Amino acid sequence: MNRFAIKAGLGACVLGASVLIPAQVSAEPAATATGTELSGMTVFLDPGHQGSSEGHDLAQQVNDGRGNTKDCQTSGMTSLGGVPEHTINWNVTQLVKSSLESLGAKVVLSRQDDTGWGGCIDERARAASESNADLAVSIHADSTAQGEDAGKHGFHMIIPSLPIPDEKADAAQSGGGLEASKMMRDAYKSDGFVPANYAGVNDGLQTRADVAGPALTQVPLVFVEMGNGSNKEDSAQLESSDGQLKHAITITTGIVTYLLTGSETAPAQELAAAPAATTAPEASEDSASSTTTTTPKVTTPKSTNPKSTAPDSAQLSELMEMLAPLLEVQGLDGLQDLVNDKNLGLVSDLASTLMAVITGAGGN
């Protein structure tokens, strides 16, 4: 059992026990992870927003990557239950980080805690580019109203309108960024999450020209909106420990699938058919809408590696039922106290179960 996982709690231990490894061929039996599957790879994780903006001007104008400027940062949404988005993003990111590290990856964070300042959007993009990450993932939750908005729900991936003025950013986002975003979308759908039904989202993808991060980032980027904090059901899942764990499992699955099976570039025909957003959610870096879109260039895959599929919702639900009694004891924050020499066998069993589900030995 890898000790990176233990430090983040049992939920992260299940994630971090090298269990999210896509099967190269669906007929293969589940492999025993070595903890080195992602050695030599770097992932940049950006938990959106920050705990405090004290001493900083959120309205300071910074480069938007398209020849204009926009606000340095926003405070993020607050869920219906009163949980700030920055904390939801932080919790999910910590679970994903632990999992990736247990597979041997180097993880770089855009911010180091959930209490202080997190940096302007251009600074985070610069940090992602300078990390030379194989993949960057910006983790957010959306909102569409100050109060409850029962009719709008679901996840989506924000895709930048192409081409992007910066050649390096354009190459990164039209190639690996687009492919990884589609893989993340597929992981979400396979895990039973429903694509968003608002703001011009097309099958889980939303084309935007007004989000600066993707236009400034020179490594492949996935911009995840986990759900709508204005929707009662989405909000409840975003707030809960088991809901955050489920999001973390899905995000890690999408990341690892891309890192182990993705090609350097991917076809963009699907994106060309996706409409730009036409409605305006709550104004923020991760929720403002766009009415402009450019047909992306089409590239050819350089790899013929078969793409794996994420576990289906029934399999994941079964796993979550196994985890529920443990999660209810103390939640994710206190579960590290449950991991000791006496129950490492149980943790290992849970990890093996998840490994079997992800790799396909449990049914796909």
Side-chain angles (χ1 to χ4, degrees):
M1 177 62 60
N2 191 291
R3 296 293 173 173
F4 278 117
I6 296 176
K7 70 181 181 182
L10 181 57
C13 190
V14 176
L15 284 171
S18 307
V19 296
L20 297 170
I21 304 174
Q24 297 295 314
V25 180
S26 60
E28 290 182 356
T32 300
T34 64
T36 60
E37 285 76 12
L38 300 183
S39 292
M41 298 183 182
T42 299
V43 178
F44 184 90
L45 296 179
D46 170 34
H49 308 287
Q50 62 278 312
S52 172
S53 60
E54 185 177 357
H56 298 272
D57 181 9
L58 295 180
Q60 173 191 342
Q61 294 300 290
V62 300
N63 179 18
D64 74 345
R66 297 184 187 272
N68 299 302
T69 63
K70 68 179 304 177
D71 290 350
C72 152
Q73 188 54 264
T74 64
S75 59
M77 69 89 179
T78 299
S79 71
L80 292 177
V83 181
E85 180 189 344
H86 65 81
T87 295
I88 296 170
N89 300 338
W90 177 258
N91 291 345
V92 172
T93 296
Q94 292 307 295
L95 294 172
V96 175
K97 175 179 181 290
S98 181
S99 176
L100 295 174
E101 287 180 332
S102 74
L103 289 169
K106 175 184 176 181
V107 177
V108 180
L109 296 180
S110 64
R111 57 185 174 100
Q112 303 308 309
D113 56 53
D114 195 40
T115 56
W117 172 243
C120 292
I121 51 179
D122 61 328
E123 294 172 326
R124 297 187 190 209
R126 186 181 309 115
S129 300
E130 292 176 351
S131 74
N132 293 315
D134 297 276
L135 183 66
V137 181
S138 190
I139 298 175
H140 289 259
D142 202 9
S143 66
T144 54
Q146 292 294 331
E148 184 175 354
D149 192 350
K152 296 174 183 176
H153 59 83
F155 78 89
H156 64 279
M157 309 297 142
I158 294 179
I159 307 292
S161 296
L162 301 172
I164 296 170
D166 182 274
E167 291 185 0
K168 290 183 178 179
D170 184 64
Q173 306 322 327
S174 65
L178 177 57
E179 183 180 23
S181 295
K182 291 179 180 179
M183 288 182 170
M184 188 70 74
R185 182 271 314 274
D186 292 344
Y188 260 82
K189 290 176 65 176
S190 293
D191 284 359
F193 290 97
V194 178
N197 63 348
Y198 62 90
V201 175
N202 186 325
D203 194 24
L205 302 180
Q206 181 196 50
T207 305
R208 298 263 297 270
D210 63 324
V211 179
L216 292 168
T217 303
Q218 297 178 341
V219 298
L221 171 70
V222 177
F223 197 117
V224 183
E225 293 283 9
M226 296 181 286
N228 183 6
S230 302
N231 177 273
K232 185 176 181 180
E233 289 73 23
D234 281 10
S235 182
Q237 185 169 61
L238 290 167
E239 296 165 2
S240 69
S241 295
D242 58 341
Q244 291 171 11
L245 175 60
K246 185 175 180 180
H247 277 290
I249 290 173
T250 302
I251 291 171
T252 306
T253 301
I255 292 172
V256 177
T257 299
Y258 172 74
L259 293 178
L260 295 186
T261 72
S263 59
E264 293 182 9
T265 57
Q269 292 95 331
E270 177 182 352
L271 180 59
T278 57
T279 59
E282 183 183 20
S284 72
E285 164 64 8
D286 58 285
S287 63
S289 65
S290 169
T291 57
T292 303
T293 184
T294 304
T295 301
K297 63 185 180 182
V298 177
T299 55
T300 303
K302 296 182 180 180
S303 169
T304 57
N305 288 340
K307 302 298 185 290
S308 65
T309 57
D312 61 36
S313 58
Q315 291 171 320
L316 192 63
S317 295
E318 181 179 353
L319 176 69
M320 293 307 298
E321 288 179 4
M322 295 173 63
L323 286 173
L326 294 172
L327 287 168
E328 290 173 359
V329 175
Q330 293 184 5
L332 291 178
D333 291 339
L335 281 177
Q336 64 263 35
D337 295 332
L338 297 178
V339 182
N340 51 50
D341 292 339
K342 294 182 179 180
N343 61 24
L344 280 177
L346 172 59
V347 175
S348 180
D349 289 343
L350 289 171
S352 297
T353 300
L354 184 54
M355 177 74 173
V357 170
I358 297 297
T359 59
N364 181 2

